[in-house]
Each structure stands twice: as structure tokens, then as C-alpha cells.
Amino acid sequence: MREILQFHVGQAGIQIGNTAWELLCLEHGIQPDGSAPSSQNLQVLFSESQTKANVPRAAFFDDDPLTINSLNRGPLKKVLNQNLIKLFKDDASSIWASKKITQYDEKDRSSRAADEIVRKMLEAADAASAIIIYHSLAGGFGSGFTCKLLQLLNDETAKTTKLTVSVFPSTKQDQLFTQPIVEPYNTILTLPTLSELSDFNILYDNAAMYKVCQNQLDFETPNFSHLNYMIAQTISSISQSIRFRGTKLVDFNDMRTNLITTPKQQFLWTSYSPFIYTDQQHLKKPNLQNITESLFDDNGHLLSFNRLTHKYLGSSLFFKGDCPLPELNYVIKQIKQSEEIRFAEGTQVAYQTCVSMAQPCTLPNYPFAKYSKTACMLAHSTGVLQSFESLKKRFSTLYSKRAFVSWYVGQGLEEGQFSESNESLQQIIELYKGKHGDGKPIEVQPKTDRKQEYGYKKEKQAQQQPQVKKTQEVKKTQDVKKNQAPKASNQITTARVENNDYSEDAYDQRAPARAQQKPLKLTTNDQKQSNSAKPNRIQQEDDNIVNQPQQQEDDNQINEPQEQEDINQQAIQQYDEEPVQQQEDQQQNQDDGFGESNNQQPKQNDQKGPQANQLNAVENISFQ
Ligand SMILES: Nc1nc2c(ncn2[C@@H]2O[C@H](COP(=O)(O)OP(=O)(O)OP(=O)(O)O)[C@@H](O)[C@H]2O)c(=O)[nH]1
């Protein structure tokens, strides 16, 4: 089974999770007590408890009791597994630094508790296909603990696609929502770990979502729950084909393969349509064309950037509900002819399209109207450059004065880590520009050998092996007693845990066990795809493609001296006054030269122009 495991970290991660799980439970007909009359593929998102209740495959971590308590007071209080909710005593207080929060150490109690939860989640799954971590990059705990979690997950799940749903600091400092002043530090210190240990990251920014609420919904004062609802709808859309019947199965591994062409250039964003305010539902009746078009304009983007200057590197479109295929084919054809939508040269699959037969759902206590059809785009584009460049500017403003640095150093961070992280950010910026600051093209190194670099857990795994074996043996005995023959799924789990060698060879040796996974009841095509270890979608979709995207290897508080306080105040003032140099950014983006330097396409494609590279993925759509 292709289970999706979800981890929610910090206030933002947990609050988004609360809304997302409410929606997912509704979509699958899960009742407040965990029962479900009938639904497809429940096991993808839910595990079955001893009382036959469906329990979300979700864990929650925070240092704030209020956030944790909100879970236990909310609509999910009876369905969540309390053993997977953990309140930590190590308070981050907005500072990414404490080793207890950011680094895995088996002697540390919180590390062991997190490890225990991860282990429980993995043991309850036969063959997890994806791990999603929800968090904010700006907060201390959400950013720091995500680094620890990724380190922890790394050895255990080297072959599982790991992605983050990350709230990125807004480019506009318009005080819409309280944001920690040190958010550039927290974000910049987290980015190297995200680049190294996760496969891709979906960025959202609150200002962009706020704008969507104001422009489209005429909300004067949206709050976090509205923004979280928007994020939840996008996550529901992009995971729909794994959960419901549709035109084709596009799982997170496929998204990675199709959208990420270069290691570390892995920051995606989403857009969604339509969001309609309940009071206006009788006025607004958009058709399929309006809905699809608005995915590409400013009104649908959940990350801020200028749509006139960015170039797409790929996009996946997810439709739900009443979307007749002939009409959809026509709409996509029209979109392809639009001159405003520009793809970087060398882009392989421009529009990967997936239609689900599931009907769109809306949550009852939110002012969003239900509509018969919805569209969502998961996109990769040079638009993210604006977020990174704005972050770099704000980081430089604070760091040039060494403002607040003493807080971090006091928590045990070496100051050199700031400059290393800054270099890492610079590398990301250059990757998106396609060339170094000196104009030379970038040579991209493959991701470092994760298992070697983060191999600190090997020893611990060896120590824990007997215990795990015991757990598995009990499980095995129970199965033998029950069925006289263990289920295929359990054999897979046993193979994974008993053989604690996570080398590539060992993984390949376990292939027969993996091959026994029950395929989803989808189309013949889907089954073919789901059974292949590494589907090469792009090749399947068009044999004319020349360059395949590179397959990634699965891949104490201190007393601040008065002097420093003054410097901090000056920095805050300067930071607040710093205008967001949107115009300048736009100009830079126009000159980014992305296409030229990164382009390795043959001449014939150049002559036809970017549009010629947009492969028609939708023409083959049909329900099977
Ligand atoms: N979209 C969204 N953003 C949020 C939410 N809660 C907080 N944020 C944003 O997240 C950032 C702060 O991160 P938090 O998640 O509150 O902080 P934390 O990770 O718990 O870290 P500490 O406060 O240091 O414990 C700010 O930019 C907030 O605007 C939420 O529910 N939804």
C-alpha cells in the first residue's frame, strides 16, 4: 500500500494539520469516532486501530502546550492517536539554535521520544510512499525541529519521497500577521537541511494567501484558519489521485520526477481555483476555462511573485469533480497557446494533468462555498527567486549588524553556520538564475551521500535491532495464528525491519517483497506504473524527449548586553524601513538568463521556441 505519513511541527504545522485532517476525514467519510461507512483506499491515510477505528497516519510535535491542547479540543480529538502527539519541554522561543531541538542525539530525551514516534508510524505502514512535514520556516521550533526530524527519517526512509509543506516568510512586511523578527535567521539556517534531506518543498506565504482572500473573497480580515483551509485544499488536490479513482495515478514520486530537474532546485508552489465566498456563490459560476486560467494568474497563487517575469520549469494540474475531458482538452490547448505563460527552455513536461472522479468537499465551518469542479496546480518556476532574494536582503540587514546573533551563539550555534547557510541560499539563488554571479554556468553536484553524511544512526539501529525484531516476531505470530499464513503486507514490513541494512544493494534484494504490495485498484496503465520500481513518466508520455530529468538518488537563555540591544533596535528600525524592492527584483528576474545558460536542448527545440517543448500530456487523458 502507498501510505502517506504526515508530521506536523510547531504552531503553524499543527494548525494547518488540524484543518487538513478535518478535510481529509470528510473526503473519506470518517466519522468523529473514526468509523467509516465505506471509502476507497483508506489505508493510504489511515491505519486501523484495535477497535477498528480509522486513525490518521499523523504525528504532532510542538513546544507550546496551547497548540497541543487545541488538537485535543478540536473536531479531531477522538480520531487522533494520542501516542503520536508530543509536547516538548525544550522551548525554542523563536530561536533556531538549541541542539536539543535541531539535532538528533540519542542521549537526549526529546530525540528519543521523536524517534519512538517515527518508529511507530513506520511500523504501522507496509510501504510508505511519501512523508509530508508541515511547518513554518519562520518560527524557532517549526524550523529547527524539522531539521531534526529529517535527520531522523533519513536512514529509516531513504527511498521514500520526503516533502515539506513550508510557510515561507512573506516578502511583504505588511504586519498582516505577527512574524518573528529573527525569521530570516531561522529560515536561512533551515534551508541547507531541506535541500539535502528532503526531495522537494512546497512553499506558501501568508501575504499571498491573504491577497487571494481579499481579491477573490472580499474578506476584509482573513485569519490563519482561512489560510490554513486554502493550504489544506491544495494538499487534498495533489494527493487525490493516490486516494481516489481518476485518469491516472500521479504520486509524490512522479511529481518529484516530473518537476525537479536539478538537485537542490526543489522549491515548488501551488495555486488553486475557485475560492468562492459563501455569500457570493449565487453570483459566481466560473466555468472550466475560467478556473484553469486563474491558476496561472495572480489571483490563484499561494506564493507571492510577479507572474509577468517568471518562467515555468514544470507544472502538474489536478482537477476534481465535473470536468468533462473533451472540454478539458480544449482548455489546456488554449492555455498552451497563451503567450503570457512562459516555460524555461529545456522544460520537459509542461502540463502533467490528472483528473479525479471524487467530488470536491468543503468544510462546514468555513466561509468557502462548495463548487462542482476545482483545479489546483503544483508548479515549479523561477518565481521563487523573489522569495529567496527578499530573504537574503533581510538576512543581510540583520546579520551585517550581528543583530540577535548572540542569542543563537548562546544556545550553542557556531557563528560560522550563518555564513555557511547564507552561501547555501546563494547557491539556490544562482541555480534558479541558471548561472553564477560571475556569469559562468553552474555545474550541479549530485546530492551528497545521505547515508554516509547522516550515518550517525547506524550504531543505534544496530542496538535497537533485537527489540524491533521482537516486535515484528509478535506481529508475525499474530498473523500466523490468524490466517495460518502471514499477509504479504506483513512480509514486506518484516523484510524492511529484520534486514537493517539500508544500502542500495540490500534495498534491491528486498525488491521481491516490495513487489508483493497490493496494487491500487486503478486502471491497467496505473497498475503498470505502480508496479515499476521507478516509473519514468516522461519517457512514457513522449518518446521524443531528449533530456530526461536527472533521477535523484531516492533518494539558556543569555543576558543580552545593553550595547547589543541598541544594535538590535537599530537593526529592527532599518529592517522595518527596508522597502521590498519589487521593481528591482523584477528587473533582475527579467535578466536572469535562465534559459540560455541552463539549456542543453538540441537546436531543433530552440528553433521551435519554448511552446514547442510543451508536451501534450492531456491529449491522452481518458477515464479507464
Ligand atoms: N499559514 C499559517 N501560518 C502560521 C500559523 N501559525 C503561525 N504562522 C506563521 O508561522 C510563523 C511563526 O511560526 P510558528 O509556527 O508560530 O512558530 P513555531 O514553529 O511554533 O516556533 P516557536 O514559536 O519558536 O515555538 C509566522 O510567520 C506566522 O505568521 C498558521 O496557523 N497558519
Side-chain angles (χ1 to χ4, degrees), residues 10-12 15 62-63 92-94 136 138-142 178 206 224 228:
Q11 181 186 308
Q15 291 183 168
D62 200 9
D63 57 352
S93 309
S94 297
S136 151
F141 191 85
T178 48
N206 287 337
F224 278 148
N228 296 345

Side-chain angles (χ1 to χ4, degrees), residues 296-310:
F296 295 86
D297 68 33
D298 290 345
N299 288 334
H301 295 169
L302 306 189
L303 184 77
S304 311
F305 57 86
N306 187 322
R307 78 184 168 89
L308 299 175
T309 57
H310 78 128

Side-chain angles (χ1 to χ4, degrees), residues 123 467-479 490 493-498:
E123 283 181 12
Q467 198 189 339
V468 176
K469 264 190 173 170
K470 204 171 151 194
T471 320
Q472 290 305 312
E473 271 164 24
V474 172
K475 202 172 171 206
K476 244 167 88 178
T477 320
Q478 283 169 352
D479 282 321
N490 287 336
T493 318
T494 310
R496 173 167 59 80
V497 181
E498 281 187 352

Side-chain angles (χ1 to χ4, degrees), residues 9-16 19 61-64 67 90-96 135-144 167-170 176-180 183 186 204-206 209 223-225 227-228 231:
V9 185
Q11 181 186 308
I14 290 182
Q15 291 183 168
I16 296 166
T19 313
F61 307 94
D62 200 9
D63 57 352
D64 182 356
T67 317
D90 312 309
D91 186 1
S93 309
S94 297
I95 305 289
W96 186 109
H135 69 134
S136 151
L137 283 160
F141 191 85
S143 55
V167 180
F168 200 87
S170 301
L176 297 174
F177 298 99
T178 48
Q179 304 201 149
E183 62 176 22
N186 295 335
Y204 295 82
D205 91 62
N206 287 337
M209 293 187 279
N223 58 33
F224 278 148
S225 73
L227 311 191
N228 296 345
I231 299 175

Side-chain angles (χ1 to χ4, degrees), residues 203-236:
L203 307 184
Y204 295 82
D205 91 62
N206 287 337
M209 293 187 279
Y210 196 98
K211 199 174 124 195
V212 171
C213 280
Q214 287 187 320
N215 291 357
Q216 275 187 228
L217 304 170
D218 294 332
F219 269 175
E220 283 306 313
T221 50
N223 58 33
F224 278 148
S225 73
H226 301 127
L227 311 191
N228 296 345
Y229 175 90
M230 295 164 126
I231 299 175
Q233 284 289 9
T234 60
I235 299 301
S236 155

Side-chain angles (χ1 to χ4, degrees), residues 439-580:
K440 289 188 184 150
I442 291 173
E443 283 172 32
V444 182
Q445 302 292 328
K447 283 195 175 182
T448 52
D449 188 338
R450 298 168 174 185
K451 289 172 217 100
Q452 264 176 29
E453 191 165 322
Y454 294 89
Y456 53 85
K457 281 203 70 204
K458 285 270 178 245
E459 208 182 88
K460 181 167 157 286
Q461 282 172 350
Q463 286 165 5
Q464 286 187 348
Q465 198 164 346
Q467 198 189 339
V468 176
K469 264 190 173 170
K470 204 171 151 194
T471 320
Q472 290 305 312
E473 271 164 24
V474 172
K475 202 172 171 206
K476 244 167 88 178
T477 320
Q478 283 169 352
D479 282 321
V480 172
K481 274 191 189 156
K482 217 162 108 193
N483 306 328
Q484 287 307 311
K487 281 191 271 180
S489 58
N490 287 336
Q491 288 167 4
I492 297 162
T493 318
T494 310
R496 173 167 59 80
V497 181
E498 281 187 352
N499 182 355
N500 238 357
D501 179 357
Y502 289 87
S503 67
E504 305 244 317
D505 289 343
Y507 185 83
D508 290 341
Q509 279 164 18
R510 296 195 291 272
R514 288 200 309 279
Q516 292 179 35
Q517 292 170 49
K518 241 198 219 161
L520 296 174
K521 282 180 191 150
L522 290 164
T523 63
T524 323
N525 239 356
D526 296 331
Q527 286 178 6
K528 232 188 278 167
Q529 289 163 352
S530 66
N531 285 339
S532 71
K534 271 188 181 182
N536 196 339
R537 290 299 151 110
I538 297 165
Q539 214 155 26
Q540 285 168 6
E541 282 177 310
D542 196 310
D543 288 332
N544 297 334
I545 299 162
V546 182
N547 288 337
Q548 290 295 329
Q550 187 177 341
Q551 276 278 2
Q552 296 174 18
E553 268 320 296
D554 282 47
D555 349 1
N556 314 330
Q557 192 154 341
I558 55 155
N559 291 325
E560 190 137 345
Q562 186 60 39
E563 212 179 278
Q564 184 64 46
E565 198 121 279
D566 295 343
I567 292 172
N568 292 348
Q569 283 309 325
Q570 277 175 24
I572 293 170
Q573 214 174 347
Q574 192 177 342
Y575 179 87
D576 287 342
E577 285 164 4
E578 184 95 357
V580 179

Side-chain angles (χ1 to χ4, degrees), residues 304-520:
S304 311
F305 57 86
N306 187 322
R307 78 184 168 89
L308 299 175
T309 57
H310 78 128
K311 290 177 191 163
Y312 284 90
L313 303 166
S315 73
S316 295
L317 305 175
F318 301 90
F319 294 88
K320 257 191 211 177
D322 171 27
C323 303
L325 296 182
E327 191 184 345
L328 186 59
N329 277 326
Y330 173 78
V331 169
I332 300 279
K333 219 171 174 175
Q334 299 286 104
I335 292 281
K336 282 179 175 180
Q337 284 159 11
S338 162
E339 292 195 350
E340 280 189 14
I341 305 168
R342 298 179 307 144
F343 278 79
E345 288 175 44
T347 303
Q348 306 296 326
V349 176
Y351 301 102
Q352 182 189 53
T353 308
C354 170
V355 188
S356 165
M357 289 160 96
Q359 285 305 308
C361 282
T362 47
L363 289 172
N365 299 326
Y366 291 77
F368 294 89
K370 187 169 175 169
Y371 199 60
S372 60
K373 50 179 127 308
T374 65
C376 175
M377 175 165 67
L378 179 64
H380 193 191
S381 84
T382 56
V384 293
L385 253 177
Q386 279 178 34
S387 301
F388 288 123
E389 288 186 326
S390 158
L391 171 70
K392 192 170 166 61
K393 266 183 216 138
R394 284 184 283 142
F395 169 79
S396 303
T397 308
L398 288 182
Y399 193 64
S400 61
K401 304 260 187 320
R402 297 295 185 270
F404 307 107
V405 166
S406 58
W407 288 95
Y408 287 76
V409 174
Q411 294 276 338
L413 188 89
E414 285 177 22
E415 211 183 311
Q417 209 167 328
F418 280 105
S419 12
E420 278 171 26
S421 301
N422 193 23
E423 276 169 29
S424 180
L425 173 63
Q426 185 57 33
Q427 198 193 6
I428 293 169
I429 291 174
E430 285 169 354
L431 274 171
Y432 278 100
K433 285 186 168 178
K435 55 191 171 193
H436 289 295
D438 58 8
K440 289 188 184 150
I442 291 173
E443 283 172 32
V444 182
Q445 302 292 328
K447 283 195 175 182
T448 52
D449 188 338
R450 298 168 174 185
K451 289 172 217 100
Q452 264 176 29
E453 191 165 322
Y454 294 89
Y456 53 85
K457 281 203 70 204
K458 285 270 178 245
E459 208 182 88
K460 181 167 157 286
Q461 282 172 350
Q463 286 165 5
Q464 286 187 348
Q465 198 164 346
Q467 198 189 339
V468 176
K469 264 190 173 170
K470 204 171 151 194
T471 320
Q472 290 305 312
E473 271 164 24
V474 172
K475 202 172 171 206
K476 244 167 88 178
T477 320
Q478 283 169 352
D479 282 321
V480 172
K481 274 191 189 156
K482 217 162 108 193
N483 306 328
Q484 287 307 311
K487 281 191 271 180
S489 58
N490 287 336
Q491 288 167 4
I492 297 162
T493 318
T494 310
R496 173 167 59 80
V497 181
E498 281 187 352
N499 182 355
N500 238 357
D501 179 357
Y502 289 87
S503 67
E504 305 244 317
D505 289 343
Y507 185 83
D508 290 341
Q509 279 164 18
R510 296 195 291 272
R514 288 200 309 279
Q516 292 179 35
Q517 292 170 49
K518 241 198 219 161
L520 296 174

